[in-house]
Amino acid sequence: MTDRTAPVPGADAPTRTVLLRGGEVHSPADPFATAMVVERGHIAWVGSEGAADAFAQGVDEVVDLGGALVTPAFTDAHVHATSTGLALTGLDLTAARSLAEALDLVRAYASRRPADRVLLGHGWDAARWPERRAPRRSELDEAAGGRPLYLSRVDVHSAVVTTALLDLVPGVHPHGDDEPLTKDDHHAVRRAALAALTPAQRAEAQRAALDRAASLGIGSVHECGGPDISSPEDFAGLLALAAEHPGPRVHGYWADRDLDLARELGAVGAAGDLFVDGALGSHTACLHAPYADAAHTGTGYLDAAEVAAHVAACTEAGLQAGFHAIGDAAVTAVVEGVRAAAEKVGTDRIRAARHRVEHAEMMTPQTIAAFAELGLTASVQPAFDAAWGGEDGMYADRLGVERARTLNPYAAMLKAGVPLAFGSDAPVTPLDPWGTVRAAAFHRTPAHRISVRAAFAAHTRGGWRALGRDDAGILVPGAPADYAVWETGALVVQAPDDRVARWSTDPRSGTPGLPDLSPGAELPVCLKTVVGGREVFVRPQG
C-alpha cells in the first residue's frame, strides 16, 4: 500500500534535541522508563533516570516532567472536522434535555447569528427527550424566524429542517411535517446547508476542531469526508489548513468510488463513510431481521457486488478501500464483497492493503472470523455503547434487548485477531480519548469488555496500523515524536473484571501502567501535546 502519511503540521520538523526526565514514560521499550530523548522529530532514546544523566549535557533543552505521565499521542480514527467545529462553536443540541429546550436553543442561536445565510446545528436525540419525538417543521419555522435551518440528528444520518431550507433544495419532498429527512433527501439538504458556509466560516470550524483535538492529547485524526458528507472543497481545505496550522496530523479518507478524485484530493484511501447502510438511531442501518420498533429492515446503499468491485479496484490502484457498515446485513454485504474481491486479486493482496470498515457494530461470530481472515481493520467507536447501550438504551429500543446485547463485541474481535482502531465519529460523540478507552474497558455488556491496555493500544497504535504504519503510535526509538504529557493519579495495570485477561500489577511483570479509568475516577488532564517533535498544545498555567 502506498504511504501517504500526513506531514507534520506547521513546518519542517524541529532540529532541537530535547531530554524529558523525571516522569513516567509509557513505553514497551522500557516499562520502568522515566526519561526520553527527542531528536529531529523522532524518539531517539527511552530509559531510566540514572541513564538520562549521560544525555543531559548534549541536548538543547532539558524538560523536568515533575512526575507527569508521557504517552503516545492518541489517534482518533474517525472524525468529521468541519461538523465537529460547527458543533463546538455553534448550535449544539447534544445537551438538550427536552424538545422544548432544544427549540429554545434554536431561538437563541438564530438571534445571535443574524447574518448567517443558513443556520446549522447538530445533536438532537428524541430518544432522550420526554416528548419522544423530533421537532416538527412548523415548530422549527417559528423558532428560526422563518430562516433556513439544518439540524442533524446525533448520528448524522437524518435531519430536521425548516421550510425555508427546503425551498433552496429542489427535488426534496418530505413525507409530512414531523418526519426527519433520511437517505438521499437528507444528503441533498446537508449539501445545501454546508454549501452556504463561507470559506472563512469553514476554516474557523476546522481550526476549532483541530485545536480541541490537540488540547485532548490527540496527535492524529482520520478525516472521513465524501460527496454525501461534505464537499471536495471542504476536504481539500482541511488538508491545506492542517499542513500549515500547528495541530494534529490529518489523514484524509474520501468516501467515493471515483478513485481518480480521491487521489487528486490527496486522500489516503477511497474509504471512510462510503455508505453500505445508515444508522440504528435513524432506522436506516440495514438488518437481516426487522427492527423491534419499526416494520422494516432499514436501508442498503451498496450490495456485495458493488463492494467487491470497489475493493478490487482500490487494491489494484494501491489505495485503501473502506465502508461504513453498522447493521448485520450491511456487514455481511461487506464481508461477501471483500471475499469476492480476494478471489479475483488474491487474499494476500487484500490483507496487505488493510482495507477498513467503519463502525462494524452488529458483528456475528462468522463476520468476526471473516474480518480476521481478510485483514479488515474495524474502525470502531466505544462511546456509542456508552451512549446507547444497556437494557434501557437506544440499541434496545431499536433491536430488542437480546440483539442489543450482541453489539460492539470488542473482546471477541480482539480474541479473533481483528485489528481495532478507536475513534469518536465526532461530532456524533465528542472528542474524548480517555473516555473512549474507559468505554471499551467498561462496556455495558460485560462479555465485550477489553483491558485498558488493549483499549489504549487501539486508540494510539491502532489508528497508525490502520494507515499501514506499524512504526508509529508507540514511544520507542525511531518512532515519530507524537506524544502527550498528562497530569494524572497513580498508574495501575487494570482490567475491569474477571472476564478480561489480567496482567500482573507486580512491577516485576514488566507491564507499564496506565491511569485508573474506573467509572467515576477523574480522567487525566492534558498538559502538552507534541506532534513530530513540535508543540501543538500547551495548557495555560493557573
Side-chain angles (χ1 to χ4, degrees):
M1 183 174 60
T2 303
D3 183 3
R4 300 170 67 85
T5 300
V8 176
D12 294 334
T15 58
R16 290 169 59 81
T17 301
V18 180
L19 167 64
L20 297 88
R21 64 185 306 179
E24 300 281 351
V25 179
H26 185 88
S27 172
D30 183 347
F32 313 113
T34 61
M36 181 172 77
V37 173
V38 175
E39 184 174 24
R40 296 185 179 276
H42 288 76
I43 308 299
W45 173 84
V46 175
S48 66
E49 192 63 28
D53 291 336
F55 294 94
Q57 300 303 315
V59 300
D60 298 305
E61 181 182 3
V62 177
V63 175
D64 181 0
L65 293 168
L69 171 67
V70 182
T71 71
F74 286 100
T75 293
D76 192 312
H78 191 124
V79 302
H80 305 283
T82 302
S83 296
T84 298
L86 290 170
L88 289 170
T89 61
L91 177 52
D92 182 1
L93 300 179
T94 54
R97 294 164 294 185
S98 67
L99 170 61
E101 184 175 334
L103 292 171
D104 286 342
L105 290 170
V106 171
R107 291 187 189 94
Y109 185 74
S111 69
R112 294 197 306 270
R113 310 284 293 204
D116 289 3
R117 290 179 286 180
V118 173
L119 301 169
L120 294 95
H122 166 75
W124 61 270
D125 186 359
R128 299 180 180 177
W129 294 345
E131 297 90 347
R132 304 288 290 183
R133 68 170 178 84
R136 297 191 176 103
R137 191 169 310 114
S138 57
E139 294 169 330
L140 294 176
D141 287 345
E142 181 276 324
R147 297 167 63 189
L149 168 70
Y150 166 88
L151 291 180
S152 54
R153 189 186 179 278
V154 66
D155 61 9
V156 201
H157 282 267
S158 59
V160 289
V161 302
T162 56
T163 302
L165 181 58
L166 286 177
D167 290 343
L168 301 177
V169 192
V172 174
H173 304 291
H175 303 288
D177 178 51
D178 57 352
E179 290 296 321
L181 298 174
T182 62
K183 308 176 190 176
D184 290 342
D185 285 346
H186 174 229
H187 297 158
V189 296
R190 178 163 58 185
R191 280 194 295 270
L194 292 176
L197 290 173
T198 66
Q201 285 176 303
R202 185 171 61 219
E204 176 191 18
Q206 292 171 347
R207 277 193 296 270
L210 296 180
D211 288 348
R212 174 62 65 89
S215 75
L216 296 170
I218 297 171
S220 297
V221 299
H222 297 184
E223 167 69 10
C224 292
D228 292 327
I229 301 160
S230 53
S231 68
E233 293 76 18
D234 179 272
F235 187 83
L238 174 65
L239 296 185
L241 174 68
E244 300 175 354
H245 181 69
R249 303 176 196 258
V250 177
H251 309 276
Y253 285 90
W254 182 251
D256 198 335
R257 287 185 280 176
D258 183 345
L259 305 193
D260 291 336
L261 179 57
R263 284 192 183 282
E264 180 183 329
L265 290 172
V268 176
D273 277 332
L274 185 53
F275 296 122
V276 178
D277 69 343
L280 290 165
S282 294
H283 290 101
T284 52
C286 191
L287 313 180
H288 284 305
Y291 284 87
D293 60 350
H296 62 82
T297 57
T299 303
Y301 297 115
L302 297 177
D303 61 22
E306 292 168 311
V307 169
H310 185 65
V311 170
C314 286
T315 304
E316 297 281 9
L319 282 172
Q320 278 186 292
F323 305 91
H324 163 119
I326 287 178
D328 50 2
V331 174
T332 297
V334 170
V335 164
E336 291 177 352
V338 177
R339 186 169 280 132
E343 292 174 359
K344 178 179 179 182
V345 304
T347 300
D348 288 346
R349 293 183 68 190
I350 293 292
R351 291 180 58 85
R354 303 194 191 189
H355 302 308
R356 53 191 282 170
V357 182
E358 310 301 314
H359 316 308
E361 293 200 74
M362 293 186 71
M363 302 289 285
T364 66
Q366 293 75 28
T367 52
I368 290 172
F371 269 47
E373 171 198 350
L374 298 166
L376 295 174
T377 296
S379 170
V380 296
Q381 296 75 39
F384 287 6
D385 174 75
W388 303 314
E391 297 195 356
D392 57 354
M394 182 271 288
Y395 289 155
D397 289 345
R398 295 291 183 268
L399 302 173
V401 171
E402 290 304 314
R403 268 195 298 178
R405 286 189 185 126
T406 69
L407 265 62
N408 303 302
Y410 303 138
M413 295 166 84
L414 277 182
K415 184 177 180 181
V418 176
L420 298 183
F422 281 178
S424 63
D425 198 8
V428 176
T429 60
L431 298 166
D432 180 15
W434 286 113
T436 295
V437 173
R438 172 187 279 170
F442 296 91
H443 197 294
R444 289 179 180 271
T445 303
H448 300 332
R449 293 173 179 171
I450 61 177
S451 70
V452 168
R453 181 188 185 193
F456 179 77
H459 213 351
T460 50
R461 200 172 189 185
W464 282 100
R465 284 174 163 169
L467 291 162
R469 290 282 301 273
D470 294 329
D471 62 334
I474 187 169
L475 300 182
V476 296
D482 291 16
Y483 62 90
V485 181
W486 306 92
E487 179 183 283
T488 188
L491 304 183
V492 297
V493 180
Q494 185 176 32
D497 58 41
D498 290 334
R499 296 175 182 85
V500 179
R502 293 179 179 271
W503 285 270
S504 171
T505 56
D506 188 319
R508 291 171 297 180
S509 70
T511 302
L514 285 166
D516 180 4
L517 300 183
S518 301
E522 292 289 329
L523 295 177
V525 174
C526 184
L527 303 177
K528 181 186 296 186
T529 305
V530 175
V531 176
R534 186 177 302 280
E535 292 180 353
V536 298
F537 169 77
V538 178
R539 181 164 296 280
Q541 297 291 325

